[in-house]
Each structure stands twice: as C-alpha cells, then as structure tokens.
Amino acid sequence: MAENGQLVCVLAGPAASVDRVKNYTRGVMGRANIDFSNQPHGKATLMKVIGNTFILSMIETLSEGHTIAEKSGLGNENLHAFVETMFPGPYVAYSKRLMGGDYYKREEVRHSAPLGLGFSMADLAF
Amino acid sequence: MCKNLVEKGDLCKPLIIFNRTVKRAEDLNAELPAGTSIIAKTIEEAVSGSEIIFTCLADDAAIKETVATMMKGNVKGKLFVDCSTVHPDTTEVLAKTIMAHSAQFVACPGRYLEPDPGVRNSR
C-alpha cells in the first residue's frame, strides 16, 4: 500500500516479546499500536479480520453513496464535502480514491484478502 | 515497511531481505539506501543471520510453509513476528510451533491508514 500511509499494528503475544517488537513499530514502521500484550496470539489476526469488515462496509457505503450522488444529480464533490465534515479520517481518503478512479487505474489488484469466518466469499478483490 | 525499518529502525546491521520471487528482493534492495540491506538467497540464510524475523505473506498456506522451513534451523531465542493476515487458528498453530522450538512469537497484523488529505472546504 501507499508508502506515505501509516501502519497501524495489532500486537499479540507475551508482553516481553511484544515490547521487543514495539521498538520497530510505533514511530518506525507504524503510526500506532493496538496492544494485545499477554493475550493469545490469535486475537491479533481475529481483530484484523473483523477490522477488515469495517473497511469493507465503509467502501460499500462510499460506493453506493457516490453512485447515488451521480445518478440523483447531487454530484460527487458535494457528497465528498459531507464525508469530509461528518466522517473525517479513512472515509475521506477512500472517498477520494473512489472519485479519482484509483481502483480501476491500478495494474495490480489493490486489496485481496481472505475473509474467512463465515463469509460466503473466500476472497474479495477490489 | 523495510524502508522505514532501515531509515528509522536504528539497526546495527544491514536488513536481510528475502522474497520467494528473487526479483522483488532485488528491486527492494536497489531502492533502499546503499549498504542498508542485503539479499538472502534462502530462508535458512535469512533466519540464521537474524535475531528478529518479520514475515508478511499472502495467505495461510504460505506462512505455514515458511514457518516449517524456518524451524529447521536452530532458532532458539529468536523472535518471529508475523504480519500476515491469516485465520486466527493458523496464528495459534504457528505460535505453538515456534515456541516449541524455544523461540518467541508475536502476531502483528497491520493495516495501512491513508494520511488524511484534510478538509478542503468548510461551509
């Protein structure tokens, strides 16, 4: 993903081990840590997969919203102004990416992640 | 990740990089500042020369296979950090395997957050 982007890591495992990794995450590779020290390792990847559902919902919402904005005559720019004001943060970045045609202009598929955990689609590619 | 590691990670030795597709390791090595990274020809080479090993692979099968290979050498006391997004059950199995070889393991999946472009107009 974008080199400018900032990595948020979920860290799970024995605290002594997590502390060793933290030297290389926050402030180095990443922007922030979600610290699951002393919790079972699997909780980190479980968090990641559930977190992915939030990202998917967000992209779904933005996709539908921008489509309605186009078809209704509201316009994408107007919708984007609403997104910036009401949902600052990742929503703004993804809204911009959708409007800019980032997804269909890429050579390589941008997101492809196994969803697992009861989802009917094994992979979702954007 | 590698770029940030070599620039801000305060590493005392060059970062050892390995990719199953050699060209990707070569391209990355070329991008990084001279002398900050070296390419390992095999997984064994990468692991034996390191104290901390980060992995980031596409799927469960890949990380399982890689961990199996990594455990063949003497890994006592080494720290393995897996950043792959895989099934939680896989993570647990990997943890068990790695710790059974007297090594440490941290699950560290991540997501890139886009920098906020900022509000362009306020009305």
Side-chain angles (χ1 to χ4, degrees), chain B residues 17-88:
Chain B
I17 55 183
F18 172 82
N19 194 296
R20 293 176 293 176
T21 308
V22 175
K23 181 152 194 314
R24 291 199 175 175
E26 287 170 353
D27 288 349
L28 178 59
N29 190 45
E31 274 174 38
L32 297 172
T36 59
S37 63
I38 56 177
I39 300 173
K41 292 190 200 66
T42 62
I43 290 175
E44 290 86 344
E45 203 182 298
V47 172
S48 64
S50 309
E51 287 165 24
I52 302 177
I53 298 102
F54 287 88
T55 50
C56 191
L57 298 175
D59 56 40
D60 298 51
I63 190 62
K64 281 180 186 167
E65 195 187 302
T66 301
V67 167
T69 305
M70 294 197 291
M71 293 301 110
K72 286 185 182 159
N74 179 15
V75 296
K76 191 169 175 194
K78 293 186 194 283
L79 171 61
F80 293 86
V81 185
D82 184 36
C83 303
S84 315
T85 298
V86 292
H87 197 290

